[in-house]
Amino acid sequence: MKHKREEFVKRVKTLVPLGAVVAAVLTAIGQFKSDEGLFTRIEGELGGWAIVLVAILIAAVVVWLVSSRATQEGGKPATPAVVFAVLSVLSIAVFWTGLPSVFASGAIALGLEANERGSKPAGSIATAIGVLAVIAATGLAFTG
C-alpha cells in the first residue's frame, strides 16, 4: 500500500501544479490577447491578472489538501473527484479565472486514484469530465 500511496503523491505533486500553471497561462492568453495579437494589451491589465493568479493559487492549495486527505488510508477519492469534476464544469462560466483547469487537475488525479481503488465508473467519469473541462477552457481562452 505504501508504494501506491507514493505513486499517488507523485501524481498529485505533478497534476495539481500543472493545473495551476495551465490556468495561469490560459488566463494570460485570455487577459492579454487582442485583435492586434497576443500580449499587445499588457498595460493596465497586470493588476487584474495578479488577482486571478492569487485565486488560482488558493484553489490549487485547496485541491492539493483535499486530494491529500482523500487518498489517505481509508479515504474515498471518488467523491471529491466527482465534486472537482462538477466544479471544473461549473467554473467554465467564469473561465477567465483559470479555475476550470485547477479543479480539473484535482478531478483527474483523484479520478485516476479512484479507478485504482476500484471505483471505476465514478473515477472514469471524473477523469473524462476533467479532461473535457481543460479542453473547453483552452478553447475559450483563445476565442472567448
Side-chain angles (χ1 to χ4, degrees):
M1 186 69 161
K2 185 176 179 181
H3 180 267
K4 289 274 188 188
R5 173 79 179 139
E6 290 171 1
E7 196 175 294
F8 177 73
V9 168
K10 184 177 179 183
R11 185 181 296 151
V12 169
K13 284 184 178 181
T14 302
L15 287 175
V16 174
L18 181 63
V21 168
V22 167
V25 169
L26 292 178
T27 58
I29 290 168
Q31 187 86 14
F32 301 124
K33 73 175 172 41
S34 71
D35 292 337
E36 294 86 42
L38 194 57
F39 299 112
T40 56
R41 294 188 335 175
I42 291 180
E43 191 173 323
E45 301 285 337
L46 289 176
W49 191 56
I51 292 169
V52 170
L53 289 179
V54 170
I56 289 169
L57 180 63
I58 291 169
V61 168
V62 169
V63 169
W64 183 290
L65 293 173
V66 170
S67 298
S68 296
R69 179 163 285 195
T71 58
Q72 290 178 351
E73 194 75 32
K76 296 182 179 181
T79 301
V82 171
V83 169
F84 283 140
V86 169
L87 287 173
S88 70
V89 170
L90 292 176
S91 63
I92 288 173
V94 288
F95 68 93
W96 48 268
T97 62
L99 295 178
S101 298
V102 177
F103 291 135
S105 69
I108 294 166
L110 289 171
L112 293 171
E113 178 70 6
N115 282 342
E116 290 179 13
R117 291 190 183 191
S119 299
K120 288 210 184 272
S124 297
I125 290 168
T127 301
I129 290 172
V131 169
L132 291 173
V134 171
I135 292 169
T138 302
L140 286 168
F142 285 96
T143 62

